[in-house]
Amino acid sequence: MTAVARRAVLLGGAAVAAGGVVAGAVALTPGPPPVAVPVPGAETVAFHGAHQAGITTPAQAHAVFTALDLRRGSGPDDVARLLRMLTDDAARLTSGRPPLEASDPELPALPSRLTVTFGFGPGLFDAVGRGGECPAVLRELPAFATDRLDPRWSGGDLLVQVCSDDPMPLSYALRRLVRSARSVATVRWTQRGFGPARGSEPAGTTPRNLMGQRDGTANPAPGAELDDAVWVREGPDWLRGGSMLVLRRIRMELDTWDDFGREGKHMAVARRLDTGAPVTGGGEFDEVDPRMVDGRGIPIAIGGAHVLRATARDPAERMLRRGYSFDDGPTADGLPDAGLLFAAYQADAARAFVPVQQRLAESDVMNQWITHVGSATFVIPPGCAPGGMIGEALLG
Ligand code: HEM
């Protein structure tokens, strides 16, 4: 390791030891004396803590979701070995260090707020002999009338979610994590997503999706509201402090959307494209008023508008939507192949995602342009302390 690389690694480590999200400094010019220049790439997000990172962490620009399947015959010891290894790798990578035994410290040195989040699918519970404890809603979501699910994007025993503002450390982290896992697990699917580049708009601006909408406006506000929606407060040790993830791959019919008139686009959601503000007036963070009528007494927001159908009718329906766009197109015919990796985190998917999606499947103007083509559900176990292991309470 060169002196410069060692210095970068040490600084990355120091940022994490401080326990928060800290902008570090990295020596960029070779030769003594090194000039320390603060770079956003050195910023880290603490891996350890009561909750896993990568959920209430402000969304990074890039994400990859990979579902692994345990090899046939894997038992509790194999799963524990796997999780111990992955936890150690993730703790190192997110602090800007390579995994144990890796000889290339340059690649992970600028993590750019890298987070690694693990989720457990029903098959993992079965493999460790705790199948009966997997929440029923995660073993099988109800079928929704509008579903067109492809097994290619569905299911999985173990989710590895990696997010970063930079696709370089993200790529390295994923390949090292999968390498550590592959004696015990195979890769079932990988889905890559992106949001706006970091810094393209002021921090805290609601990102746009590929339909051009500001998406995430009505998410629970950071703090108590968000924590109440996302984290499990009661129940078994292995779940308390954790969450539940419903990941849906939703294809968008962008060709027909692009041809649709602008006013119609506003009406489909009941929010404006430019500002994200309700069509009934006010600013982005105001609610749509379903009672407001025009001069002829006709409601301004149509009843089937996405927001009116989706809004929580009970606090238990609240969820954090932290989705990423995907774009695998164009197809050979020159058509878009794109959409949203819709990722909803909530304390109880049976009381949040399920009733909300039931309403949307029943009626939502947006259904003309969106189709759910993949579905995967995971328990997000709580976080762990340094030296601990994700899932330690489940694996005893
Ligand atoms: C490609 C699919 C989807 C698109 C493009 C989309 C887009 C939007 C947009 C533009 C908004 C308004 C701004 C905001 O508050 O974020 C919104 C709100 C919302 N969406 Fe979606 N959405 C999609 C799928 C879903 C799904 C599958 C669910 C849940 C099952 C959902 C639940 C919600 C909720 C809860 C709100 C906030 C409603 C409120 O104002 O309280 N969305 N969505």
Side-chain angles (χ1 to χ4, degrees), residues 96-109:
R97 294 172 296 149
L100 212 62
E101 291 167 10
S103 57
D104 36 16
E106 297 79 12
L107 284 166

Side-chain angles (χ1 to χ4, degrees), residues 213-214 216-218 250 306-307 310-311 321 342 353 357 360 366:
Q213 303 152 334
R214 294 235 181 255
T217 298
I250 307 181
H306 179 71
V307 156
T311 196
R321 291 169 290 126
F342 174 89
F353 177 82
Q357 180 53 25
L360 295 178
M366 288 276 281

Side-chain angles (χ1 to χ4, degrees), residues 83-161:
L83 288 171
R84 184 154 298 287
M85 212 144 55
L86 292 180
T87 302
D88 186 65
D89 286 355
R92 289 169 188 273
L93 288 161
T94 52
S95 64
R97 294 172 296 149
L100 212 62
E101 291 167 10
S103 57
D104 36 16
E106 297 79 12
L107 284 166
L110 296 172
S112 301
R113 300 198 302 135
L114 183 83
T115 55
V116 178
T117 315
F118 298 105
F120 298 169
L124 186 142
F125 285 82
D126 295 339
V128 302
R130 309 276 295 261
E133 292 169 69
C134 176
V137 64
L138 299 191
R139 194 166 281 282
E140 186 143 27
L141 278 182
F144 303 100
T146 45
D147 285 356
R148 299 290 178 270
L149 303 182
D150 185 337
R152 180 173 171 214
W153 306 120
S154 301
D157 295 342
L158 175 65
L159 173 79
V160 181
Q161 173 195 314

Side-chain angles (χ1 to χ4, degrees), residues 60-67 114 152-153 159-164 166-176 178 187 189-195 210 247-250 322-329 337-343:
Q60 298 95 325
H62 300 269
V64 60
F65 298 85
T66 289
L114 183 83
R152 180 173 171 214
W153 306 120
L159 173 79
V160 181
Q161 173 195 314
V162 188
C163 303
S164 171
D166 183 345
M168 291 293 290
L170 182 150
S171 169
Y172 179 74
L174 181 68
R175 96 174 183 242
R176 293 302 310 209
V178 169
V187 174
W189 49 252
T190 295
Q191 306 192 53
R192 294 173 192 282
F194 59 90
L210 294 178
L247 179 68
R248 308 278 284 188
R249 183 181 183 88
I250 307 181
R322 191 183 193 276
Y324 284 91
S325 295
F326 72 85
D327 185 350
D328 291 350
D337 176 6
L340 182 67
L341 302 178
F342 174 89

Side-chain angles (χ1 to χ4, degrees), residues 170-320:
L170 182 150
S171 169
Y172 179 74
L174 181 68
R175 96 174 183 242
R176 293 302 310 209
L177 290 160
V178 169
R179 179 188 161 116
S180 290
R182 71 189 176 209
S183 64
V184 185
T186 55
V187 174
R188 185 184 179 100
W189 49 252
T190 295
Q191 306 192 53
R192 294 173 192 282
F194 59 90
R198 182 167 195 210
S200 66
E201 290 198 86
T205 307
T206 312
R208 290 187 190 276
N209 61 33
L210 294 178
M211 295 175 115
Q213 303 152 334
R214 294 235 181 255
D215 195 344
T217 298
N219 262 333
E225 201 181 308
L226 181 57
D227 290 346
D228 286 349
V230 167
W231 306 122
V232 180
R233 306 283 197 196
E234 297 159 4
D237 282 2
W238 53 261
L239 185 56
R240 223 177 319 119
S243 188
M244 294 188 195
L245 165 63
V246 177
L247 179 68
R248 308 278 284 188
R249 183 181 183 88
I250 307 181
R251 201 180 62 219
M252 292 172 171
E253 305 307 330
L254 289 176
D255 219 39
T256 53
W257 178 255
D258 286 344
D259 287 340
F260 194 54
R262 205 169 160 81
E263 282 313 304
K265 287 179 178 171
H266 294 160
M267 288 305 162
V269 177
R271 287 186 175 275
R272 297 184 54 85
L273 287 166
D274 49 2
T275 56
V279 292
T280 51
E284 185 193 344
F285 296 99
D286 288 317
E287 286 175 20
V288 176
D289 180 355
R291 290 154 314 177
M292 191 174 282
V293 291
D294 64 14
R296 291 167 298 162
I298 297 170
I300 293 173
I302 51 177
H306 179 71
V307 156
L308 293 184
R309 299 294 297 166
T311 196
R313 299 189 179 177
D314 174 308
E317 285 189 2
R318 302 225 65 191
M319 62 183 96
L320 169 67

